[in-house]
Amino acid sequence: MAEAEASPGEPAARSPRGDAAPTGAVRDTSILFIGDVVGSLGRRTLTDCLPMLRERHAPTFVVVNGENAAGGLGITPKIAEQMFAGGVDAITLGNHAYRRREIFAYLEGDRPIVRPANYLRSQPGRGVCVVEADGVRLGVVNLSGNVYMRAGRSAFTEIEVALGELGGAEHVLVDMHAEATSEKVAMGWHLDGRVTAVVGTHTHVPSADARVLPGGTAYITDVGMTGPRGGVIGVKREQAVEALLTQMPVRFETSEEDPWLMGVLITCSGPRRARAIEQLLMPRPPAAGQDR
Ligand SMILES: [Fe+2]
Ligand SMILES: [Fe+2]
């Protein structure tokens, strides 16, 4: 396992939904956020890595961006249910939210899956959900950037509406799904001191700027993806290069090479504040490489 920072070395208490009794010490609330899961290989990587991450970090909550989970584009109800059954507490999405028609009605149901809150109100689903574990409530907000992205309303105004829908949630995680680094950095500053964490997604490339801002909000510009690092942001590299080289349409397929899980672990302090954010960059365990 390769990590950008050393493990905090906390005692080995397990997840509230895990497999061991608490040690007696009250653990800090923590949130494991995992970047865009790409295709079936990304889903298998998530399945293979999550037990190790639970063992090591005992996160209170696990939140996953699932916008690329179905063949690289979108998500289906079946895949979402598989993620929830595997211990994921909430799923965020992004510009590929509506690639699969069967997800439309599912997004209107009561499952903790959110599409960008600043999409049009007429579009299926909602942008905010609240999940609970260990008696702690986590509000999860999904936003879309407006620079080079199609979102009907401004992320910077709609976040105020979204925060107003969270009630008394002790912690808030905002997934800012955006192309432009500047827009994500600005959202981090805009929300500093008001939410527990602002995590960027969409580019599929992890950035090296994870930190807790002065007001107590954990921030990273992009978490990266969970999927094939051997491709071009998830696509077979030969196809991506061919498209750029020839300037002609090329059918893209999901790469199957060099799968990694990319995420961050946010350790909370007081209400809606973070003490630490640790970047987690983890290759799929070799022993799990025999695909099922
Ligand atoms: Fe993505
Ligand atoms: Fe995206």
Side-chain angles (χ1 to χ4, degrees):
M1 177 168 182
E3 294 179 1
E5 296 178 25
S7 166
E10 294 178 343
R14 303 287 176 82
S15 159
R17 291 162 310 288
D19 45 5
T23 59
V26 177
R27 287 187 60 85
D28 289 326
T29 299
S30 60
I31 306 161
L32 173 61
F33 180 85
I34 296 170
D36 305 27
V37 173
V38 178
S40 62
L41 181 62
R43 301 196 314 266
R44 294 194 298 274
T45 303
L46 174 66
T47 299
D48 292 337
C49 293
L50 203 46
M52 296 170 63
L53 292 171
R54 281 196 183 286
E55 177 77 21
R56 182 171 300 201
H57 301 292
T60 314
F61 297 99
V62 178
V63 181
V64 173
N65 185 299
E67 72 145 6
N68 305 105
L73 296 171
I75 189 168
T76 64
K78 180 180 176 185
I79 290 172
E81 286 300 319
Q82 288 170 346
M83 286 184 172
F84 292 134
V88 171
D89 295 291
I91 298 172
T92 58
L93 297 169
N95 54 301
H96 296 303
Y98 301 127
R99 288 287 186 145
R100 310 281 169 159
R101 296 191 67 85
E102 60 265 44
I103 202 68
F104 294 3
Y106 186 83
L107 292 176
E108 294 285 342
D110 60 0
R111 302 299 273 160
I113 180 170
V114 289
R115 51 77 163 162
N118 56 320
Y119 278 5
L120 298 175
R121 295 190 207 289
S122 57
Q123 290 177 284
R126 64 184 72 81
V128 170
C129 70
V130 178
V131 292
E132 184 170 342
D134 266 0
V136 177
R137 288 163 296 174
L138 172 69
V140 179
V141 181
N142 196 191
L143 291 173
S144 167
N146 296 100
V147 178
Y148 306 129
M149 308 281 286
R150 179 186 283 181
R153 296 174 296 150
S154 164
F156 284 81
T157 55
E158 292 308 314
I159 184 61
E160 306 302 334
V161 179
L163 293 179
E165 295 174 355
L166 292 173
E170 287 83 3
H171 289 290
V172 178
L173 173 82
V174 177
D175 174 355
M176 176 68 173
H177 195 82
E179 189 78 47
T181 52
S182 56
E183 206 177 14
K184 292 191 265 193
V185 171
M187 184 60 77
W189 287 119
H190 185 55
L191 298 180
D192 183 27
R194 296 201 285 159
V195 302
T196 312
V198 176
V199 293
T201 56
H202 175 67
T203 73
H204 292 195
V205 178
S207 60
D209 61 341
R211 61 172 165 158
V212 178
L213 298 172
T217 295
Y219 175 80
I220 187 169
T221 296
D222 209 295
V223 172
M225 70 172 174
T226 294
R229 209 180 56 160
V232 175
I233 64 169
V235 171
K236 285 184 178 176
R237 60 177 179 266
E238 304 82 11
Q239 297 171 347
V241 170
E242 184 186 349
L244 292 165
L245 191 63
T246 64
Q247 304 286 299
M248 293 298 290
V250 175
R251 183 172 172 271
F252 285 164
E253 298 166 308
T254 303
S255 169
E256 292 285 321
E257 289 187 52
D258 193 18
W260 282 55
L261 178 143
M262 301 180 185
V264 289
L265 181 77
I266 298 141
T267 306
C268 307
S269 54
R272 301 196 181 184
R273 298 292 185 279
R275 188 172 59 244
I277 177 169
E278 178 186 358
Q279 193 169 29
L280 304 173
L281 304 172
M282 177 182 180
R284 186 184 184 199
Q290 318 309 316
D291 278 336
R292 311 178 275 280

